[in-house]
Amino acid sequence: MKFEIFDLGLTNFRQSWDFQKSMLLRVKQKELSSALILCRHLPVITLGRSGKKENILAGDSQLKKLNIKTYEVERGGDVTYHGPGQLCIYPVIDLANFKKDINWYLRSLEALLLDVLSDFGIKAQTQSGLTGIWVKQKKIASIGIAIKNWITFHGASLNLKNDDLANFSLIRPCGMDIIMTSMEGILNQEVRFDKVKRVLTRRWHEASSFAGTGRRN
C-alpha cells in the first residue's frame, strides 16, 4: 500500500470535501495506506457537529454579498472560517494502523503544527482543555476532525496571511470570543504557501506516528 500527498491548490470547500470522502473510501478499501490533502479554500464558513448558528454573526444578506457559503459538516467543534489566506491540512489515516485513540491523534496534529511553526521561528503553544494552537492569547491554527470506521478526515487550518483575518469577524470562532492571528502577523513579513507546504510535508515524513510504520494497538 502507498501513502500519497495531494495538493488541491485553491478550491471551493465542496470539492475538497468530496475529495476527502473519495480518499477515505480508498483507504478503507486498502488502495492507499493514508493520504495527506493540502488546499486553500475560497471564503467559506463551516459548522461542526456542536456548531451553533448564533455563532455566525453575519446575516444571510451580508454573507451573500460577500459570496461566502455556509456548510454543516461532520467534523467536531463549532463554527470556523476558511479562506485563501489559510493552509488547510486534511489527513486521511486509518488509525487502526497506528493507535485507536482520538485524543492521541489530536495531540499528534497539534505537535505537527507546533513543529512547523517552530521552524519559522514562531513560539506557539496549546491551551489546556482546548484544541488548536495559540501564540500567546491569539489563535493561529484550528483543528476539527471527523472519524469514520477509525479513518480520519477533515483536520486543521493554519493561518498564513494577514489580509484574510478580517472575515473571522463574521463569526465567533470555535464558539468563543477569541482573536485570530497569522504567521505574517507574528513575523511581520510575507509568508509563502510553497515554503510552508515544504516544511509541513518534511515534518510529516519525519513524524513516525504518521508517515512511518505506525504503532499498532
Side-chain angles (χ1 to χ4, degrees):
M1 291 189 296
K2 57 184 178 177
F3 162 78
E4 289 191 22
I5 296 176
F6 299 89
D7 188 347
L8 304 185
L10 181 61
T11 183
N12 67 56
F13 181 80
R14 171 63 73 176
Q15 288 175 323
S16 73
W17 195 12
D18 289 342
F19 189 80
Q20 289 180 65
K21 293 174 183 177
S22 71
M23 290 301 103
L24 188 150
L25 182 60
R26 290 186 65 187
V27 170
K28 182 180 179 182
Q29 293 176 341
K30 309 299 183 183
E31 294 177 16
L32 284 177
S33 61
S34 57
L36 177 63
I37 302 166
L38 304 177
C39 65
R40 298 159 57 209
H41 288 310
L42 298 170
V44 65
I45 291 170
T46 68
L47 282 157
R49 292 191 304 272
S50 58
K52 297 179 176 61
K53 290 187 177 180
E54 56 264 33
N55 288 325
I56 300 177
L57 305 178
D60 291 343
S61 60
Q62 183 180 5
L63 294 177
K64 185 176 181 180
K65 184 178 179 180
L66 294 169
N67 197 28
I68 297 178
K69 294 183 178 181
T70 62
Y71 291 94
E72 294 184 17
V73 298
E74 60 274 83
R75 65 161 174 82
D78 204 297
V79 62
T80 197
Y81 164 80
H82 295 306
Q86 290 178 336
L87 178 63
C88 288
I89 305 147
Y90 298 138
V92 184
I93 299 171
D94 188 347
L95 292 180
N97 294 327
F98 297 91
K99 191 173 183 179
K100 289 184 177 181
D101 186 325
I102 296 172
N103 184 65
W104 170 84
Y105 176 61
L106 289 170
R107 304 295 80 80
S108 296
L109 278 182
E110 289 174 338
L112 175 74
L113 292 167
L114 289 170
D115 285 342
V116 170
L117 290 168
S118 178
D119 285 346
F120 285 87
I122 296 175
K123 186 178 180 180
Q125 67 277 333
T126 59
Q127 289 197 12
S128 178
L130 299 174
T131 299
I133 305 296
W134 277 259
V135 178
K136 296 182 179 178
Q137 297 303 312
K138 296 180 180 180
K139 196 170 190 181
I140 195 168
S142 301
I143 296 175
I145 66 167
I147 296 178
K148 185 175 182 179
N149 299 317
W150 287 107
I151 301 173
T152 69
F153 59 122
H154 292 283
S157 57
L158 175 61
N159 301 334
L160 271 67
K161 298 293 184 179
N162 256 346
D163 57 7
D164 201 30
L165 293 178
N167 280 337
F168 279 101
S169 65
L170 302 172
I171 65 171
R172 186 172 290 111
C174 306
M176 298 184 290
D177 294 318
I178 56 177
I179 299 173
M180 305 297 288
T181 191
S182 67
M183 294 178 68
E184 287 189 345
I186 300 300
L187 297 173
N188 198 29
Q189 64 185 46
E190 182 186 8
V191 176
R192 294 178 53 179
F193 280 97
D194 58 348
K195 185 174 182 180
V196 175
K197 285 188 280 191
R198 284 197 301 270
V199 171
L200 188 141
T201 53
R202 174 176 59 81
R203 282 291 190 174
W204 181 273
H205 283 297
E206 291 173 353
S208 60
S209 57
F210 288 140
T213 58
R215 179 165 56 138
R216 293 181 179 274
N217 288 344

